[in-house]
Amino acid sequence: MKKENRMPPGQRPIEEWPELQFGIVPHINASEWKFRIWGLTEKERELTFEGFTSLPQVKVYADAHCVEGWSLMDNLWEGVSTSVLKELVRIQPEARFVIVHCMEDYKTNLPLNDFFAEDALFAIKHNGKLLTPEHGYPIRLVIPKLYFWKSAKWIVGIEFTRMDRSGYWESRGYHNHGDPLKEERYRD
Ligand SMILES: Nc1nc2c(c(=O)[nH]1)N[C@H]1C(S)=C(S)[C@@H](COP(=O)(O)O)O[C@H]1N2
Ligand SMILES: [Mo]
């Protein structure tokens, strides 16, 4: 589909990739980075960067829409599909949400079906290059179908829960879900 026709309402394209976060940019040493999967899983699981990058990889071509109105179009993300977690841990049937945990205590929350969307991935590369520290090195989540604040940078873990729990922006006025096509920007 042509770019013009893919643009959600109220968004404008931007050429340079902006850098946005609250607080500092953590400079993470990949050899010390750990990724933990816990909550409503039969067993907890911890992965190193090496373990993570040896998982099967996918490429996803997608646009990124920030709630503030800019869209970075035509990104090629490479990394590990979120669905791979279904093979790494046994998720209990009561699980309905995920809480995404990051460095610096950033969190975001998603229903399970958005987290496991076909195009959702843990990105390691953007347009052929490793992510820079500013954009989430070593790994960021990318959820193309929701506003970009759900695409959490510097992730350190995924928690499966039965109840929803607002994340950083979701408890500071942003919409709980964040679908750009429905303009779910802010809480009423
Ligand atoms: N860990 C973390 N992830 C985050 C944020 C943040 O503050 N901390 N900000 C979010 C917001 S509001 C946006 S718009 C995008 C910006 O990503 P970028 O800096 O790579 O453009 O990251 C999202 N992921
Ligand atoms: Mo944002």
Side-chain angles (χ1 to χ4, degrees), residues 95-108:
R96 290 178 51 220
F97 297 92
V98 299
I99 313 296
V100 182
H101 294 256
C102 303
M103 296 289 288
E104 307 303 320
D105 219 26
Y106 185 81
K107 292 185 189 67
T108 190

Side-chain angles (χ1 to χ4, degrees), residues 3 8 11 25 43 53-54 65 78-79 82-83 91 103 110 112 130 138 144 165 167:
K3 239 185 268 200
Q11 295 294 116
V25 171
K43 272 193 199 138
T53 49
S54 64
H65 307 295
E78 287 173 63
T82 53
S83 301
I91 302 163
M103 296 289 288
L110 302 166
L112 222 53
L130 283 180
R165 226 161 65 213

Side-chain angles (χ1 to χ4, degrees), residues 17-22 106 135 140 148-149 151 153-154:
W17 189 1
E19 178 203 326
L20 272 179
Q21 63 273 326
F22 88 93
Y106 185 81
H135 294 299
R140 86 180 289 163
F148 208 29
W149 87 78
S151 292
K153 305 193 275 188
W154 316 296

Side-chain angles (χ1 to χ4, degrees), residues 52-53 55-60 76-82 84 120-126 139-140:
F52 206 93
T53 49
L55 294 168
Q57 306 220 350
V58 293
K59 292 184 185 180
V60 171
L76 180 64
W77 301 104
E78 287 173 63
V80 176
S81 167
T82 53
V84 168
L121 79 159
F122 297 104
I124 300 167
K125 287 184 178 176
H126 175 267
I139 296 190
R140 86 180 289 163

Side-chain angles (χ1 to χ4, degrees), residues 32-72:
E32 287 163 11
W33 179 85
K34 294 259 163 48
F35 179 77
R36 195 156 78 92
I37 310 162
W38 80 100
L40 293 175
T41 61
E42 215 149 83
K43 272 193 199 138
E44 204 177 296
R45 187 86 199 252
E46 198 172 79
L47 295 172
T48 61
F49 185 68
E50 212 189 337
F52 206 93
T53 49
S54 64
L55 294 168
Q57 306 220 350
V58 293
K59 292 184 185 180
V60 171
Y61 183 76
D63 306 323
H65 307 295
C66 171
V67 71
E68 290 172 6
W70 55 264
S71 291
L72 187 73

Side-chain angles (χ1 to χ4, degrees), residues 175-187:
H175 196 280
N176 195 51
H177 184 230
D179 182 348
L181 296 177
K182 298 185 189 151
E183 283 207 77
E184 292 173 340
R185 292 177 194 273
Y186 305 104
R187 235 173 256 260

